[in-house]
């Protein structure tokens, strides 16, 4: 194993090395692997093998617990007949490869039609109606991840890291007060249309890394924010609200929760904002946050 792998972080190069080594150990071919996403994890498709591979960041102290939770949630959802994506349990996992934890999942080929926001709304209704599983889930706390990202920030301006750190410090106590005032249930934690996959006529909700116990409104925020930030047409948002049965923007806590979610979205992008389109978009988000411009359009990457 590369001796510096533990400290390199998750880059395209380090993720690919981990992918190839893990696939070799698992008896899979990584030839023609396609990188689908590089963010909190690197996600690869191996269509020939019928496998999707997730390479997790290695710079968190609780990464083993997070990966174990993700696998446990996926298996539990399968037992509940919930439309999700399960792990490939015929492959021993997780595997530690090049200092990173690697998991193997069912591969879902691209569907003919893109899932709709109303699909997301209906899946969230069903997800929120599930009982809590028979194992312990963490309380919703997006700040733990944000602080970890800020502590390990590199390749971005110090004043940007300082601004985000101060903004997180201002919002953290208020967020926990809001959570304490609302009933909690199972929440997905990162509920947006990018975490939907189509399989035939069925739509699947994927990515269980952020599953926790918290207020259901947290899962409604990304779609609400998308109206201002990502130019989501308001009729599409209204259809989402009708399908779910709630408009989170009418809540008195919406602006506070929105701030927290936007800080999370920005620190997520910061991890890969050293150059190119990600750096340009990070600058846009930082300017809008500094100016408290709630209507400045962002771009999804």
């Amino acid at each position: 194993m590369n001796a510096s792998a533990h400290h390199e972080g998750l880059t395209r190069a380090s993720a690919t090395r981990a992918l190839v080594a893990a696939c070799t150990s698992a008896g899979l071919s990584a030839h023609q692997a396609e990188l689908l996403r590089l963010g909190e994890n690197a996600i690869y498709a191996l269509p020939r093998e019928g496998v999707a591979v997730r390479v997790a960041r290695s710079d968190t102290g609780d990464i083993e617990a997070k990966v174990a939770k993700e696998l446990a949630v996926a298996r539990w959802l399968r037992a509940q007949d919930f439309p999700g994506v399960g792990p490939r349990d015929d492959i021993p996992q997780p595997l530690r490869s090049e200092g990173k934890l690697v998991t193997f999942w069912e591969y879902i080929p691209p569907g003919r039609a893109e899932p709709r926001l109303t699909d997301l709304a209906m899946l969230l209704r069903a997800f929120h109606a599930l009982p809590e599983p028979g194992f312990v889930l963490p309380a919703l706390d997006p700040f733990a991840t944000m602080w970890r990202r800020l502590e390990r920030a590199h390749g971005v301006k110090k004043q940007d890291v300082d601004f985000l750190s101060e903004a997180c410090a201002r919002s953290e106590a208020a967020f926990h007060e809001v959570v304490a005032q609302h009933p909690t249930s199972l929440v997905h934690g990162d509920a947006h249309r990018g975490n939907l996959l189509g399989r035939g006529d069925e739509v699947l909700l994927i990515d269980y890394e952020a599953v926790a116990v918290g207020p259901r409104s947290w899962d409604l925020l990304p779609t609400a924010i998308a109206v201002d930030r990502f130019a989501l047409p308001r009729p599409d948002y209204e259809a989402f609200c009708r399908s779910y049965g709630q408009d989170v923007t009418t809540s008195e806590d919406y602006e506070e929760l929105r701030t927290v979610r936007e800080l999370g979205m920005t620190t997520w992008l910061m991890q890969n904002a050293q150059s190119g389109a990600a750096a340009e978009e990070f600058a846009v988000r930082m300017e809008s946050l500094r100016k408290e411009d709630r209507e400045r359009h962002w771009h999804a990457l």
Side-chain angles (χ1 to χ4, degrees), residues 96-158:
R96 185 164 286 280
S97 175
E98 294 287 317
K100 294 172 172 42
L101 281 185
V102 179
T103 53
F104 304 89
W105 300 79
E106 301 171 67
Y107 170 67
I108 309 297
R112 294 185 299 274
E114 184 177 347
R116 301 164 300 179
L117 282 175
T118 50
D119 295 320
L120 176 61
M122 297 303 291
L123 281 169
L124 287 176
R125 280 186 61 181
F127 191 85
H128 292 161
L130 290 169
E132 290 186 27
F135 50 88
V136 176
L137 286 172
L140 179 68
D141 182 10
F143 286 93
T145 298
M146 286 192 271
W147 286 123
R148 186 260 302 166
R149 293 168 182 162
L150 290 165
E151 289 166 2
R152 292 164 172 77
H154 67 282
V156 294
K157 297 176 183 176
K158 181 179 182 299

Side-chain angles (χ1 to χ4, degrees), residues 4-281:
S4 65
H6 289 287
H7 307 290
E8 184 179 356
L10 190 68
T11 64
R12 185 170 187 141
S14 68
T16 299
R17 287 197 301 271
L19 166 78
V20 172
C23 286
T24 299
S25 297
L28 300 171
S29 172
H31 184 58
Q32 295 185 342
E34 178 186 357
L35 179 62
L36 301 178
R37 188 184 305 179
L38 179 62
E40 208 57 39
N41 304 276
I43 304 176
Y44 292 86
L46 306 180
R48 288 185 178 182
E49 301 281 3
V51 175
V53 184
R54 293 171 66 92
V55 180
R57 289 184 180 270
S58 59
D59 53 2
T60 61
D62 62 347
I63 188 63
E64 288 86 359
K66 289 180 71 173
V67 169
K69 179 200 73 174
E70 186 173 15
L71 290 168
V73 168
R75 291 167 180 143
W76 177 77
L77 288 174
R78 184 163 54 196
Q80 302 291 314
D81 292 324
F82 185 85
V85 173
R88 282 286 301 268
D89 283 333
D90 56 318
I91 303 172
Q93 60 174 317
L95 291 180
R96 185 164 286 280
S97 175
E98 294 287 317
K100 294 172 172 42
L101 281 185
V102 179
T103 53
F104 304 89
W105 300 79
E106 301 171 67
Y107 170 67
I108 309 297
R112 294 185 299 274
E114 184 177 347
R116 301 164 300 179
L117 282 175
T118 50
D119 295 320
L120 176 61
M122 297 303 291
L123 281 169
L124 287 176
R125 280 186 61 181
F127 191 85
H128 292 161
L130 290 169
E132 290 186 27
F135 50 88
V136 176
L137 286 172
L140 179 68
D141 182 10
F143 286 93
T145 298
M146 286 192 271
W147 286 123
R148 186 260 302 166
R149 293 168 182 162
L150 290 165
E151 289 166 2
R152 292 164 172 77
H154 67 282
V156 294
K157 297 176 183 176
K158 181 179 182 299
Q159 55 263 43
D160 288 341
V161 177
D162 289 345
F163 174 86
L164 291 169
S165 297
E166 292 166 5
C168 285
R170 286 194 303 269
S171 293
E172 188 168 16
F175 171 81
H176 290 300
E177 287 181 12
V178 169
V179 171
Q181 293 169 4
H182 291 274
T184 58
S185 68
L186 189 70
V187 294
H188 180 271
D190 194 22
H192 55 82
R193 191 159 47 183
N195 278 330
L196 299 180
L197 289 177
R199 180 171 59 191
D201 295 331
E202 187 178 35
V203 179
L204 311 175
L205 181 65
I206 68 170
D207 191 355
Y208 315 120
E209 183 178 23
V211 168
V213 175
R216 296 174 180 178
S217 56
W218 184 254
D219 281 346
L220 308 180
L221 287 170
T223 308
I225 293 170
V227 175
D228 289 332
R229 290 305 194 194
F230 301 109
L232 176 69
R234 183 157 290 279
D236 290 0
Y237 177 65
E238 291 170 351
F240 171 85
C241 293
R242 286 194 301 270
S243 294
Y244 183 82
Q246 180 182 341
D247 179 357
V248 70
T249 66
T250 63
S251 166
E252 62 182 9
D253 302 314
Y254 170 67
E255 292 299 333
E256 183 63 50
L257 291 175
R258 173 179 170 172
T259 295
V260 176
R261 177 72 190 180
E262 291 187 351
L263 288 171
M265 295 161 68
T266 303
T267 58
W268 174 85
L269 182 63
M270 178 186 69
Q271 297 172 115
N272 298 304
Q274 289 72 44
S275 62
E280 294 175 6
E281 175 62 15

